[in-house]
Amino acid sequence: LELSPIGPVTAISLPVKNLNGCVARGPPKGLPYLAVLDLSGNRGLDGFLPGAALGTLAMLQVLNLGGCSLDGPLPPQLALMTQVQELRLGDNELSGPALPRIADMTRLQVLDLSRNKFDGELPQSWGRLERLKVLRLNENKFKGTLPLDWSELLSLTELDVTSNALTGPIPKAVLNLLQPDARMLRKRAKALAHEPGGAGGGAGGDAGAAITCVSKLK
């Protein structure tokens, strides 16, 4: 891909354009001002995430590669993209453990890793993502329990961890983030316990609370 000298390129947005090829080659060089990279919905794009190349995009704020055919683990260089506000990698074939160093991406507001093959336990360090509003981890292979440190996600309005191998209740402190009204919270938790994919019971959280999707009720 050759870019004509028409000024700084700040956005590449080509969603659902039937693109194909290996993304492991990385984006074109010479894009120091790129803020938006959206190649979502292009099933012909495959390969692993090019960590070294992505790590050079110091001004990137939105990375959307959802709905492609990417595989392999999350590269550690993602943590160098400290300006990113939206990281959307859902609906791919990505695998391996979640990346604890995502916690270094302190401007993150949306993190979507749903519908992949990630496994292992959820990182406690993500509790440092103070600006995170949306966290979608559904339809993976995560195990263990929700970290109590996630109660520090004070901006969180949507959490989806359905269809994993998680056990135990949602910690009460996390539920309180999503629904401040305690009576409505208990009602919601009991209802969720009967939804498919819920895993209720256990100590340390609201009675009947389920590991499932919880959104702030408005």
Side-chain angles (χ1 to χ4, degrees):
L1 177 62
E2 294 183 2
L3 302 177
S4 57
I6 57 176
V9 176
T10 60
I12 298 177
S13 184
L14 297 169
V16 198
K17 298 296 183 184
N18 294 317
L19 301 179
N20 59 76
C22 182
V23 300
R25 297 177 181 177
K29 295 181 180 180
L31 297 173
Y33 301 104
L34 191 67
V36 177
L37 179 58
D38 183 355
L39 303 177
S40 60
N42 290 290
R43 287 296 183 189
L45 293 179
D46 57 17
F48 57 86
L49 284 170
L54 290 174
T56 65
L57 300 177
M59 302 297 291
L60 198 68
Q61 298 178 22
V62 176
L63 177 60
N64 189 349
L65 297 175
C68 297
S69 298
L70 308 181
D71 56 29
L74 294 177
Q77 293 91 337
L78 280 180
L80 300 176
M81 303 166 64
T82 56
Q83 300 300 310
V84 170
Q85 299 176 23
E86 297 185 17
L87 180 59
R88 300 178 183 268
L89 301 174
D91 198 12
N92 279 286
E93 299 293 327
L94 298 168
S95 60
L99 190 64
R101 285 191 59 196
I102 283 180
D104 295 336
M105 304 172 71
T106 55
R107 294 180 181 270
L108 263 185
Q109 297 181 28
V110 177
L111 176 58
D112 186 353
L113 302 179
S114 61
R115 300 185 301 281
N116 278 287
K117 298 179 179 179
F118 293 114
D119 56 24
E121 297 188 351
L122 298 171
Q124 294 188 16
S125 60
W126 289 5
R128 303 202 308 266
L129 295 171
E130 296 179 354
R131 302 186 185 185
L132 192 65
K133 297 179 180 179
V134 176
L135 179 55
R136 297 173 182 154
L137 304 172
N138 51 295
E139 297 182 49
N140 280 286
K141 300 178 181 179
F142 291 118
K143 63 181 181 180
T145 60
L146 284 186
L148 184 58
D149 289 12
W150 286 14
S151 62
E152 300 298 321
L153 299 174
L154 300 181
S155 299
L156 196 66
T157 60
E158 181 182 331
L159 170 64
D160 192 342
V161 292
T162 53
S163 300
N164 279 284
L166 298 170
T167 58
I170 301 175
K172 186 175 181 179
V174 176
L175 280 173
N176 285 335
L177 291 176
L178 299 162
Q179 177 47 263
D181 186 325
R183 288 180 301 172
M184 289 296 293
L185 185 153
R186 283 193 292 269
K187 256 187 223 182
R188 179 69 172 150
K190 288 178 182 178
L192 290 172
H194 297 289
E195 289 183 4
D206 254 19
I211 295 291
T212 184
C213 176
V214 184
S215 299
K216 181 177 288 186
L217 305 179
K218 298 181 180 179

